[in-house]
Amino acid sequence: MPKPVPYLIFSLLILMLLSTSGCSEYDKIEINKVLDARDAAVSSHNIKAYDALLLPDYLDATGQSEFDVVSKMNRLFTQFEATEMNSSQRIIRLLDANHAECEQNYLLRVKADNTWRQLNQRERITLIKTSNGWKISSGL
């Protein structure tokens, strides 16, 4: 008669794998919400909503702090009558339980003097999971 212990261990391993994959899908959904909220904040000139998406310790490879990024976006909002931002072709990679990276295209349209101009670029954004959810930590 086979011992039940190996079956129990195997079942526990399967449950752990399933719960881990479920967590990563949940995290990807939450990251998508953050990035969609960024598009919405830029499109509505909502600097408070934009700032809320950033990690307070935001610092990217170019040396930009959270203050620098928010100031740059605020200048964009005051310089243009309207802005529209839409992201696409998003690829999210979970690096570990608390770190993720997203590559995406974005189309930024700005309006000045009744003329729309647009910028199409690809970007790589990093995010950190905090007690308040996912926050953008660099790449803007």
Side-chain angles (χ1 to χ4, degrees), residues 2-105:
K3 295 181 180 179
V5 174
Y7 296 110
L8 180 61
I9 293 172
F10 179 74
S11 297
L12 288 173
L13 286 173
I14 294 295
L15 285 173
M16 285 175 47
L17 285 172
L18 289 173
S19 69
T20 301
S21 66
C23 245
S24 64
E25 283 308 309
Y26 173 78
D27 286 329
K28 286 182 180 182
I29 290 167
E30 293 303 304
I31 290 168
N32 272 306
K33 288 179 184 177
V34 169
L35 298 171
D36 290 344
R38 175 182 169 228
D39 288 355
V42 171
S43 296
S44 64
H45 281 208
N46 189 337
I47 198 67
K48 286 184 181 182
Y50 185 84
D51 187 30
L53 301 170
L54 303 180
L55 186 70
D57 294 335
Y58 180 101
L59 187 63
D60 66 18
T62 64
Q64 286 191 104
S65 68
E66 175 193 14
F67 177 81
D68 298 326
V69 171
V70 171
S71 295
K72 183 173 68 173
M73 189 56 60
N74 211 21
R75 282 191 303 276
L76 183 87
F77 290 167
T78 57
Q79 183 178 0
F80 296 102
E81 301 163 26
T83 55
E84 292 178 1
M85 185 169 185
N86 293 302
S87 301
S88 63
Q89 298 179 342
R90 203 174 272 167
I91 300 169
I92 297 172
R93 287 184 283 283
L94 296 171
L95 306 176
D96 60 33
N98 296 315
H99 297 86
E101 180 179 81
C102 173
E103 287 185 51
Q104 65 180 7
N105 292 339

